[in-house]
Amino acid sequence: MEIGYYPGCALHGSSADYEMSVRACLGALGVSLRELDDWICCGATAAHCLNHKLAVALPARNLALAERDGLKDLLAPCPMCSMELLKADRAMARDPALRRKMAEIVELPIAGKTRVCNLIQVLYEVGLQRIAEQAQVRLETFKPACYYGCLLTRPADVLRFDDAEQPRSMENLLTALGAQPVDWNYRTECCGAGMTMANETTVLELSHKILSNAAAHGANCLVVACPMCHVNLDMKQADIERRFGMAHGMMVYYLSDLVGLALGLDQATLGINRHFVVRK
Amino acid sequence: MTMPLDLSTSLVESLAHTRLRDCYQCGKCSAGCPAAERMDLLPNQLIRLVQLGRVEKALRAEAIWECVSCMTCTSRCPKAVDCAGVLDALRQLAAQHGLVPASQHRTLVFQQAFLDNIRRNGRLAELELVGHFKTKAFLGDLNLPLLMKDAFLAPKLLKRGKLHLLPGKVKDRAVVERIFQRCQEPTNGVP
């Protein structure tokens, strides 16, 4: 199976380990990724904060490129990117005048034929049963706290994925692979997202609560499907520990890391050795 | 002196594409907001101000820059008001009219540096963004510890393959520039 792939800026930058992990994991499952040619940034928080027109136009250009290249499915492993793409798609679907205006702005027609999906959706399309059958390692030692954060499920009417308050898709997948996900409270609370540079205090406080709650419920690792969540919980973990005077030592995996390990891939192939917090 | 501002409830509604007049002040948005404890005015209070036409007071609030855009308010609103969208509209207007409180300039500077970066490169060049943001923020608040912070992060990122000194650029950067020009908002008094 070949699907379109929108990496987004993070996966080609500070979250290069996430791209390694996604490519390796999906590759082992027979899913190859065709990168969208000459994709541009989705605009992220900066665009929707400062320029609502640009916040539609930047994702719209990418949707138009996908259509031009005949990509029906477009995987955006970053939930910020996938949410912005879906939001622009829905705004144009609701407003034909906006669709015409955007086609002029981005210099390409946009019919609205692209289906944007996240990593979890692609794994479910492969099928839980097939992944479990292909697995070579049972994830029995893993007690993950599955962390969805914000934009995998919110806003619910744009994303239309899982349950915005009580999502279970990651737990169900990892349970099928032998892991023992824990029940905990912060599964859909925000880690501070893209405020890491601009408002670090908020990020450290919110992420500290997430790490603490996961540990209090017996988790021995966190699992995320978002590059920003990973930056805040993994890369900033040492800063969090300094600020709050306590050690978390919590491994933070991408979902594709754990699925990849179950499929028999090694840590280096999945980029796990590139994380900041590593198992001692 | 500056012209009186033409800021109305309808203007915010049209920017946010939502009927904020539907809000009946249940407070669910504020109850679930992870940034509420850092806000001078709560999300439902900001909406109330806009309902009453006191838009300028909402635009001057620190709260709109403390928002982390997590979409919890929007997802939970029983009246389907896009509260996060309203805060986006308020941020855009506050930036356009130069009403951002000094204590929140770092956040504004970051978002502007991010957009400038995409405009130049088509995609985010992270190292360049950090450099521009830190320089501009420092010139604004002369906070040396914040300028120097993370200086030792670069080698750690490089070692992990997470930092690209020459990031990939978009081939058709001219079209990106044209898209930005066509989306340019009228500005007055941008700091």
Side-chain angles (χ1 to χ4, degrees), chain A residues 85-95 157-158 160, chain B residues 82:
Chain A
L85 291 164
L86 286 165
K87 204 165 70 174
D89 190 43
R90 192 183 70 150
M92 291 186 288
R94 284 181 164 185
D95 183 352
D157 61 334
V158 175
R160 293 189 203 150
Chain B
D82 180 3

Side-chain angles (χ1 to χ4, degrees), chain B residues 159-170:
Chain B
K159 195 180 106 189
R160 290 170 172 81
K162 286 167 166 274
L163 188 64
H164 305 273
L165 299 177
L166 293 169
K169 283 190 178 184
V170 169

Side-chain angles (χ1 to χ4, degrees), chain A residues 9 12 14 17 37-39 41 48-52 105 107 150 154 165 199-200 202 274, chain B residues 15 38 66 70 72 75-76 88 91-92 122-124 126 149 160 162 164 171-172 178 182-183:
Chain A
C9 305
H12 274 202
S14 53
D17 50 351
D37 183 43
D38 220 27
W39 58 270
C41 174
H48 71 69
C49 274
L50 294 180
N51 187 327
H52 72 292
I105 289 176
E107 301 179 20
C150 306
R154 287 194 297 262
E165 297 290 346
N199 192 346
E200 191 192 40
T202 297
R274 293 164 184 256
Chain B
L15 274 175
R38 303 175 60 86
E66 291 291 345
C70 73
T72 307
S75 276
R76 290 184 181 167
D88 275 335
R91 280 187 285 257
Q92 179 172 327
R123 298 172 191 168
L124 198 64
E126 288 172 329
K149 204 181 163 327
R160 290 170 172 81
K162 286 167 166 274
H164 305 273
K171 286 173 278 178
D172 194 352
R178 291 196 294 276
R182 291 175 191 130
C183 292

Side-chain angles (χ1 to χ4, degrees), chain A residues 14 21 38 66 83 88 103 120 126 151 153 157 170 183 205 211 260:
Chain A
S14 53
S21 176
D38 220 27
M83 190 273 282
I120 307 174
V126 172
L151 304 179
T153 62
D157 61 334
M170 283 204 269
D183 274 325
E205 285 175 2
L211 291 165

Side-chain angles (χ1 to χ4, degrees), chain A residues 17 33 40 43 50 56 89 96 120 156 159 185 190 218 231 234 247 263:
Chain A
D17 50 351
L33 303 178
I40 62 173
L50 294 180
V56 183
D89 190 43
I120 307 174
L159 276 286
N185 307 103
C190 180
V231 162
D234 176 64
L263 293 170

Side-chain angles (χ1 to χ4, degrees), chain B:
Chain B
M1 279 305 288
T2 49
M3 297 280 286
L5 299 179
D6 179 24
L7 297 166
S8 65
T9 311
S10 306
L11 174 66
V12 178
E13 283 191 323
S14 70
L15 274 175
H17 301 286
T18 194
R19 285 205 312 256
L20 64 83
R21 280 174 248 228
D22 286 356
C23 167
Y24 51 26
Q25 290 291 310
C26 70
K28 201 176 180 185
C29 49
S30 304
C33 174
E37 61 187 87
R38 303 175 60 86
M39 290 178 165
D40 51 351
L41 289 166
L42 295 172
N44 68 299
Q45 294 175 314
L46 292 166
I47 299 231
R48 188 72 186 134
L49 283 170
V50 180
Q51 284 179 328
L52 296 172
R54 297 174 65 189
V55 179
E56 190 176 331
K57 180 160 186 194
L59 295 186
R60 292 182 186 277
E62 302 207 21
I64 59 178
W65 301 96
E66 291 291 345
C67 163
V68 286
S69 302
C70 73
M71 305 287 166
T72 307
C73 51
T74 293
S75 276
R76 290 184 181 167
C77 178
K79 295 292 285 176
V81 174
D82 180 3
C83 180
V86 171
L87 266 74
D88 275 335
L90 295 177
R91 280 187 285 257
Q92 179 172 327
L93 289 170
Q96 276 174 14
H97 293 286
L99 298 177
V100 182
S103 58
Q104 300 293 334
H105 264 188
R106 290 185 70 84
T107 302
L108 174 66
V109 165
F110 179 79
Q111 306 299 7
Q112 286 172 334
F114 191 108
L115 280 189
D116 290 347
N117 195 294
I118 304 169
R119 185 173 191 154
R120 274 193 306 278
N121 303 309
R123 298 172 191 168
L124 198 64
E126 288 172 329
L127 193 61
E128 187 185 298
L129 170 67
V130 172
H132 280 150
F133 163 64
K134 291 226 168 216
T135 310
K136 279 179 79 179
F138 177 72
L139 293 174
D141 58 20
L142 301 179
N143 187 327
L144 195 62
L146 279 177
L147 177 70
M148 297 314 291
K149 204 181 163 327
D150 303 323
F152 300 108
L153 191 58
K156 293 181 188 166
L157 286 168
L158 259 181
K159 195 180 106 189
R160 290 170 172 81
K162 286 167 166 274
L163 188 64
H164 305 273
L165 299 177
L166 293 169
K169 283 190 178 184
V170 169
K171 286 173 278 178
D172 194 352
R173 290 199 295 285
V175 77
V176 178
E177 173 58 27
R178 291 196 294 276
I179 291 172
F180 268 81
Q181 282 173 13
R182 291 175 191 130
C183 292
Q184 204 65 56
E185 297 288 339
T187 54
N188 37 38
V190 174

